[in-house]
PDB file of all heavy atoms in Angstrom:
ATOM      1  N   VAL A  77       6.250   4.279   3.729  1.00  0.00           N
ATOM      2  CA  VAL A  77       6.649   4.759   2.439  1.00  0.00           C
ATOM      3  C   VAL A  77       5.881   4.039   1.414  1.00  0.00           C
ATOM      4  O   VAL A  77       5.354   2.948   1.740  1.00  0.00           O
ATOM      5  CB  VAL A  77       8.171   4.660   2.121  1.00  0.00           C
ATOM      6  CG1 VAL A  77       9.025   5.465   3.018  1.00  0.00           C
ATOM      7  CG2 VAL A  77       8.651   3.217   2.278  1.00  0.00           C
ATOM      8  N   CYS A  78       5.733   4.571   0.276  1.00  0.00           N
ATOM      9  CA  CYS A  78       5.077   3.929  -0.818  1.00  0.00           C
ATOM     10  C   CYS A  78       5.663   4.265  -2.160  1.00  0.00           C
ATOM     11  O   CYS A  78       6.215   5.335  -2.313  1.00  0.00           O
ATOM     12  CB  CYS A  78       3.559   4.018  -0.852  1.00  0.00           C
ATOM     13  SG  CYS A  78       3.007   5.625  -1.451  1.00  0.00           S
ATOM     14  N   VAL A  79       5.549   3.262  -3.163  1.00  0.00           N
ATOM     15  CA  VAL A  79       5.975   3.607  -4.533  1.00  0.00           C
ATOM     16  C   VAL A  79       4.893   3.083  -5.543  1.00  0.00           C
ATOM     17  O   VAL A  79       4.304   2.116  -5.215  1.00  0.00           O
ATOM     18  CB  VAL A  79       7.387   2.962  -4.728  1.00  0.00           C
ATOM     19  CG1 VAL A  79       7.264   1.445  -4.640  1.00  0.00           C
ATOM     20  CG2 VAL A  79       7.860   3.426  -6.112  1.00  0.00           C
ATOM     21  N   SER A  80       4.649   3.829  -6.464  1.00  0.00           N
ATOM     22  CA  SER A  80       3.601   3.492  -7.444  1.00  0.00           C
ATOM     23  C   SER A  80       4.150   2.553  -8.558  1.00  0.00           C
ATOM     24  O   SER A  80       5.340   2.501  -8.786  1.00  0.00           O
ATOM     25  CB  SER A  80       3.067   4.787  -8.084  1.00  0.00           C
ATOM     26  OG  SER A  80       2.636   5.637  -7.212  1.00  0.00           O
ATOM     27  N   GLY A  81       3.192   1.911  -9.140  1.00  0.00           N
ATOM     28  CA  GLY A  81       3.507   0.840 -10.061  1.00  0.00           C
ATOM     29  C   GLY A  81       3.568   1.274 -11.541  1.00  0.00           C
ATOM     30  O   GLY A  81       4.061   0.670 -12.392  1.00  0.00           O
ATOM     31  N   LYS A  82       2.830   2.469 -11.763  1.00  0.00           N
ATOM     32  CA  LYS A  82       2.799   2.934 -13.131  1.00  0.00           C
ATOM     33  C   LYS A  82       3.352   4.239 -13.432  1.00  0.00           C
ATOM     34  O   LYS A  82       3.374   4.766 -14.576  1.00  0.00           O
ATOM     35  CB  LYS A  82       1.193   2.885 -13.588  1.00  0.00           C
ATOM     36  CG  LYS A  82       0.927   3.008 -15.097  1.00  0.00           C
ATOM     37  CD  LYS A  82       1.511   1.866 -15.912  1.00  0.00           C
ATOM     38  CE  LYS A  82       1.050   2.039 -17.345  1.00  0.00           C
ATOM     39  NZ  LYS A  82       1.798   1.021 -18.173  1.00  0.00           N
ATOM     40  N   ASN A  83       3.796   4.873 -12.404  1.00  0.00           N
ATOM     41  CA  ASN A  83       4.410   6.278 -12.564  1.00  0.00           C
ATOM     42  C   ASN A  83       5.446   6.445 -11.415  1.00  0.00           C
ATOM     43  O   ASN A  83       5.672   5.436 -10.677  1.00  0.00           O
ATOM     44  CB  ASN A  83       3.215   7.252 -12.403  1.00  0.00           C
ATOM     45  CG  ASN A  83       2.369   7.133 -11.266  1.00  0.00           C
ATOM     46  OD1 ASN A  83       2.895   7.342 -10.079  1.00  0.00           O
ATOM     47  ND2 ASN A  83       1.171   6.662 -11.409  1.00  0.00           N
ATOM     48  N   ASP A  84       5.957   7.569 -11.327  1.00  0.00           N
ATOM     49  CA  ASP A  84       7.102   7.868 -10.364  1.00  0.00           C
ATOM     50  C   ASP A  84       6.674   8.388  -8.988  1.00  0.00           C
ATOM     51  O   ASP A  84       7.331   8.819  -8.162  1.00  0.00           O
ATOM     52  CB  ASP A  84       8.065   8.845 -10.861  1.00  0.00           C
ATOM     53  CG  ASP A  84       8.819   8.258 -12.156  1.00  0.00           C
ATOM     54  OD1 ASP A  84       8.974   7.061 -12.218  1.00  0.00           O
ATOM     55  OD2 ASP A  84       9.139   9.114 -13.054  1.00  0.00           O
ATOM     56  N   TYR A  85       5.256   8.445  -8.831  1.00  0.00           N
ATOM     57  CA  TYR A  85       4.726   8.985  -7.597  1.00  0.00           C
ATOM     58  C   TYR A  85       5.142   8.144  -6.387  1.00  0.00           C
ATOM     59  O   TYR A  85       4.970   6.889  -6.389  1.00  0.00           O
ATOM     60  CB  TYR A  85       3.219   9.117  -7.617  1.00  0.00           C
ATOM     61  CG  TYR A  85       2.581   9.765  -6.368  1.00  0.00           C
ATOM     62  CD1 TYR A  85       2.715  11.072  -6.210  1.00  0.00           C
ATOM     63  CD2 TYR A  85       2.082   8.926  -5.387  1.00  0.00           C
ATOM     64  CE1 TYR A  85       2.237  11.708  -5.137  1.00  0.00           C
ATOM     65  CE2 TYR A  85       1.537   9.606  -4.272  1.00  0.00           C
ATOM     66  CZ  TYR A  85       1.643  10.956  -4.067  1.00  0.00           C
ATOM     67  OH  TYR A  85       1.089  11.487  -2.959  1.00  0.00           O
ATOM     68  N   ALA A  86       5.614   8.741  -5.343  1.00  0.00           N
ATOM     69  CA  ALA A  86       5.921   8.058  -4.101  1.00  0.00           C
ATOM     70  C   ALA A  86       5.535   8.906  -2.921  1.00  0.00           C
ATOM     71  O   ALA A  86       5.407  10.187  -3.086  1.00  0.00           O
ATOM     72  CB  ALA A  86       7.415   7.642  -4.062  1.00  0.00           C
ATOM     73  N   GLU A  87       5.520   8.370  -1.695  1.00  0.00           N
ATOM     74  CA  GLU A  87       5.245   8.990  -0.510  1.00  0.00           C
ATOM     75  C   GLU A  87       6.185   8.571   0.554  1.00  0.00           C
ATOM     76  O   GLU A  87       6.522   7.365   0.687  1.00  0.00           O
ATOM     77  CB  GLU A  87       3.847   9.018  -0.115  1.00  0.00           C
ATOM     78  CG  GLU A  87       2.717   9.660  -0.843  1.00  0.00           C
ATOM     79  CD  GLU A  87       1.419   9.573  -0.269  1.00  0.00           C
ATOM     80  OE1 GLU A  87       1.255   9.051   0.843  1.00  0.00           O
ATOM     81  OE2 GLU A  87       0.451  10.184  -0.934  1.00  0.00           O
ATOM     82  N   THR A  88       6.473   9.534   1.479  1.00  0.00           N
ATOM     83  CA  THR A  88       7.296   9.087   2.667  1.00  0.00           C
ATOM     84  C   THR A  88       6.744   9.792   3.883  1.00  0.00           C
ATOM     85  O   THR A  88       6.456  10.959   3.828  1.00  0.00           O
ATOM     86  CB  THR A  88       8.731   9.463   2.531  1.00  0.00           C
ATOM     87  OG1 THR A  88       9.311   8.903   1.262  1.00  0.00           O
ATOM     88  CG2 THR A  88       9.601   9.004   3.649  1.00  0.00           C
ATOM     89  N   ALA A  89       6.546   8.984   4.897  1.00  0.00           N
ATOM     90  CA  ALA A  89       6.026   9.635   6.214  1.00  0.00           C
ATOM     91  C   ALA A  89       7.073  10.504   6.718  1.00  0.00           C
ATOM     92  O   ALA A  89       8.246  10.393   6.521  1.00  0.00           O
ATOM     93  CB  ALA A  89       5.635   8.467   7.181  1.00  0.00           C
ATOM     94  N   HIS A  90       6.536  11.593   7.445  1.00  0.00           N
ATOM     95  CA  HIS A  90       7.431  12.570   7.983  1.00  0.00           C
ATOM     96  C   HIS A  90       8.593  11.926   8.870  1.00  0.00           C
ATOM     97  O   HIS A  90       9.726  12.345   8.837  1.00  0.00           O
ATOM     98  CB  HIS A  90       6.594  13.634   8.903  1.00  0.00           C
ATOM     99  CG  HIS A  90       7.474  14.677   9.456  1.00  0.00           C
ATOM    100  ND1 HIS A  90       8.195  15.578   8.746  1.00  0.00           N
ATOM    101  CD2 HIS A  90       7.827  14.857  10.787  1.00  0.00           C
ATOM    102  CE1 HIS A  90       8.811  16.413   9.524  1.00  0.00           C
ATOM    103  NE2 HIS A  90       8.684  15.996  10.720  1.00  0.00           N
ATOM    104  N   PHE A  91       8.135  10.959   9.634  1.00  0.00           N
ATOM    105  CA  PHE A  91       9.125  10.337  10.653  1.00  0.00           C
ATOM    106  C   PHE A  91      10.215   9.597   9.860  1.00  0.00           C
ATOM    107  O   PHE A  91      11.360   9.254  10.467  1.00  0.00           O
ATOM    108  CB  PHE A  91       8.490   9.437  11.673  1.00  0.00           C
ATOM    109  CG  PHE A  91       7.746   8.242  11.067  1.00  0.00           C
ATOM    110  CD1 PHE A  91       8.542   7.132  10.665  1.00  0.00           C
ATOM    111  CD2 PHE A  91       6.374   8.242  10.833  1.00  0.00           C
ATOM    112  CE1 PHE A  91       7.820   6.061  10.192  1.00  0.00           C
ATOM    113  CE2 PHE A  91       5.744   7.168  10.358  1.00  0.00           C
ATOM    114  CZ  PHE A  91       6.404   5.949   9.988  1.00  0.00           C
ATOM    115  N   ALA A  92       9.929   9.162   8.545  1.00  0.00           N
ATOM    116  CA  ALA A  92      10.942   8.451   7.797  1.00  0.00           C
ATOM    117  C   ALA A  92      11.766   9.216   6.798  1.00  0.00           C
ATOM    118  O   ALA A  92      12.738   8.718   6.359  1.00  0.00           O
ATOM    119  CB  ALA A  92      10.167   7.364   7.018  1.00  0.00           C
ATOM    120  N   GLU A  93      11.396  10.558   6.728  1.00  0.00           N
ATOM    121  CA  GLU A  93      12.120  11.382   5.720  1.00  0.00           C
ATOM    122  C   GLU A  93      13.631  11.466   6.240  1.00  0.00           C
ATOM    123  O   GLU A  93      13.938  11.736   7.310  1.00  0.00           O
ATOM    124  CB  GLU A  93      11.536  12.778   5.719  1.00  0.00           C
ATOM    125  CG  GLU A  93      10.189  12.789   5.053  1.00  0.00           C
ATOM    126  CD  GLU A  93       9.496  14.128   4.940  1.00  0.00           C
ATOM    127  OE1 GLU A  93      10.075  15.088   5.639  1.00  0.00           O
ATOM    128  OE2 GLU A  93       8.514  14.259   4.293  1.00  0.00           O
ATOM    129  N   GLY A  94      14.529  11.200   5.159  1.00  0.00           N
ATOM    130  CA  GLY A  94      15.928  11.405   5.391  1.00  0.00           C
ATOM    131  C   GLY A  94      16.498  10.168   6.082  1.00  0.00           C
ATOM    132  O   GLY A  94      17.773  10.108   6.234  1.00  0.00           O
ATOM    133  N   ARG A  95      15.737   9.125   6.474  1.00  0.00           N
ATOM    134  CA  ARG A  95      16.270   7.977   7.111  1.00  0.00           C
ATOM    135  C   ARG A  95      15.862   6.664   6.419  1.00  0.00           C
ATOM    136  O   ARG A  95      16.690   5.772   6.301  1.00  0.00           O
ATOM    137  CB  ARG A  95      15.776   7.870   8.493  1.00  0.00           C
ATOM    138  CG  ARG A  95      16.128   8.993   9.421  1.00  0.00           C
ATOM    139  CD  ARG A  95      15.884   8.677  10.880  1.00  0.00           C
ATOM    140  NE  ARG A  95      14.414   8.459  11.132  1.00  0.00           N
ATOM    141  CZ  ARG A  95      13.964   7.319  11.750  1.00  0.00           C
ATOM    142  NH1 ARG A  95      14.824   6.445  12.204  1.00  0.00           N
ATOM    143  NH2 ARG A  95      12.665   7.210  11.929  1.00  0.00           N
ATOM    144  N   PHE A  96      14.620   6.576   5.854  1.00  0.00           N
ATOM    145  CA  PHE A  96      14.231   5.486   5.112  1.00  0.00           C
ATOM    146  C   PHE A  96      13.960   5.603   3.622  1.00  0.00           C
ATOM    147  O   PHE A  96      13.590   6.728   3.197  1.00  0.00           O
ATOM    148  CB  PHE A  96      12.800   5.024   5.717  1.00  0.00           C
ATOM    149  CG  PHE A  96      12.776   4.617   7.145  1.00  0.00           C
ATOM    150  CD1 PHE A  96      13.887   4.552   7.878  1.00  0.00           C
ATOM    151  CD2 PHE A  96      11.583   4.212   7.758  1.00  0.00           C
ATOM    152  CE1 PHE A  96      13.833   4.226   9.269  1.00  0.00           C
ATOM    153  CE2 PHE A  96      11.512   3.752   9.044  1.00  0.00           C
ATOM    154  CZ  PHE A  96      12.636   3.756   9.778  1.00  0.00           C
ATOM    155  N   THR A  97      14.355   4.612   2.817  1.00  0.00           N
ATOM    156  CA  THR A  97      14.304   4.790   1.447  1.00  0.00           C
ATOM    157  C   THR A  97      13.676   3.532   0.813  1.00  0.00           C
ATOM    158  O   THR A  97      14.028   2.364   1.158  1.00  0.00           O
ATOM    159  CB  THR A  97      15.637   5.034   0.757  1.00  0.00           C
ATOM    160  OG1 THR A  97      16.308   6.161   1.400  1.00  0.00           O
ATOM    161  CG2 THR A  97      15.622   5.172  -0.715  1.00  0.00           C
ATOM    162  N   ILE A  98      12.670   3.714  -0.034  1.00  0.00           N
ATOM    163  CA  ILE A  98      12.051   2.559  -0.750  1.00  0.00           C
ATOM    164  C   ILE A  98      12.671   2.442  -2.195  1.00  0.00           C
ATOM    165  O   ILE A  98      12.907   3.591  -2.790  1.00  0.00           O
ATOM    166  CB  ILE A  98      10.498   2.672  -0.815  1.00  0.00           C
ATOM    167  CG1 ILE A  98       9.870   1.369  -1.264  1.00  0.00           C
ATOM    168  CG2 ILE A  98      10.141   3.901  -1.669  1.00  0.00           C
ATOM    169  CD1 ILE A  98       8.390   1.421  -1.100  1.00  0.00           C
ATOM    170  N   SER A  99      12.850   1.291  -2.637  1.00  0.00           N
ATOM    171  CA  SER A  99      13.433   0.978  -3.976  1.00  0.00           C
ATOM    172  C   SER A  99      12.803  -0.348  -4.394  1.00  0.00           C
ATOM    173  O   SER A  99      12.377  -1.145  -3.597  1.00  0.00           O
ATOM    174  CB  SER A  99      14.931   1.044  -3.978  1.00  0.00           C
ATOM    175  OG  SER A  99      15.376  -0.016  -3.164  1.00  0.00           O
TER     176      SER A  99
END
Side-chain angles (χ1 to χ4, degrees):
V77 293
C78 74
V79 62
S80 301
K82 194 61 174 173
N83 52 67
D84 294 332
Y85 184 78
E87 288 187 1
T88 302
H90 178 70
F91 64 80
E93 289 176 351
R95 300 191 301 128
F96 294 2
T97 304
I98 190 170
S99 62

